[in-house]
């Protein structure tokens, strides 16, 4: 994978709420700051191992930004902080202690398939947003980006 220093959002590609979150971010990221990578991909597994993340964090949105790793509510807040529009109001949640934010996040993450359902396969991006997703060997036959 070519290193371009763009923040990477890793997400559960079969989770409906995660896919809606990705679409939400794309609409509020007109400059294309973020790249996206499904947690189900081999590249995501490699990045997770390389950054010493554990299996409990696989139920989380993971943000890699300038070699820093953010998970759970902290990842969400870092992402929101870079978006445009009224959503930025939610950065005020920084005042809530991380333990409390993450407890709520974990409850939703643990029950996400039951609450929101899941897809049979990972999100296939439209041509308009395809360049925002990191291609992996399993998708293109070679590592891209």
């Amino acid at each position: 994978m070519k290193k371009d220093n763009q923040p990477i959002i890793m997400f559960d590609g079969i989770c409906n709420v995660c896919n809606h979150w990705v679409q939400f971010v794309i609409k509020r990221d007109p400059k294309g700051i973020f790249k996206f990578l499904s947690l189900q991909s081999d590249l995501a597994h490699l990045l997770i191992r390389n950054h010493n993340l554990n299996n409990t964090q696989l139920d989380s949105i993971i943000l890699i930004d300038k070699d820093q790793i953010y998970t759970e509510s902290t990842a969400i807040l870092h992402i929101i902080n870079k978006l445009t529009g009224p959503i930025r109001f939610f950065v005020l949640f920084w005042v809530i202690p991380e333990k409390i934010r993450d407890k709520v996040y974990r409850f939703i993450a643990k029950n996400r398939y039951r609450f929101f359902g899941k897809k049979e396969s990972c999100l296939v991006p439209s041509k308009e947003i395809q360049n925002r997703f990191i291609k992996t060997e399993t998708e293109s036959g070679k590592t891209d980006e």
Side-chain angles (χ1 to χ4, degrees), residues 82-143:
K82 293 182 185 238
L83 298 178
T84 61
I87 188 65
R88 291 191 44 124
F89 168 79
F90 286 98
V91 297
L92 295 175
F93 281 104
W94 281 117
V95 300
I96 298 172
E98 184 177 7
K99 285 184 180 190
I100 295 170
R101 291 191 329 253
D102 283 348
K103 189 171 188 166
V104 172
Y105 184 97
R106 284 186 211 112
F107 174 78
I108 294 169
K110 181 180 178 182
N111 294 289
R112 69 190 183 277
Y113 297 144
R114 188 164 41 121
F115 293 161
F116 306 103
K118 68 179 183 176
K119 299 182 179 302
E120 292 295 318
S121 61
C122 290
L123 168 76
V124 177
S126 67
K127 290 186 185 215
E128 296 82 36
I129 61 170
Q130 219 168 30
N131 65 329
R132 304 286 303 276
F133 291 78
I134 298 172
K135 293 179 180 69
T136 63
E137 287 184 27
T138 55
E139 295 169 348
S140 65
K142 63 181 173 65
T143 301

Side-chain angles (χ1 to χ4, degrees), residues 2 12 16-17 30 51 53-54 58 65 69 86 96 98 110 120-121 130 133 144:
K2 180 176 77 180
D12 181 347
N16 284 334
V17 74
H51 287 90
L53 295 172
N54 61 48
L58 296 180
D65 189 7
I69 304 296
I96 298 172
E98 184 177 7
K110 181 180 178 182
E120 292 295 318
S121 61
Q130 219 168 30
F133 291 78
D144 207 43

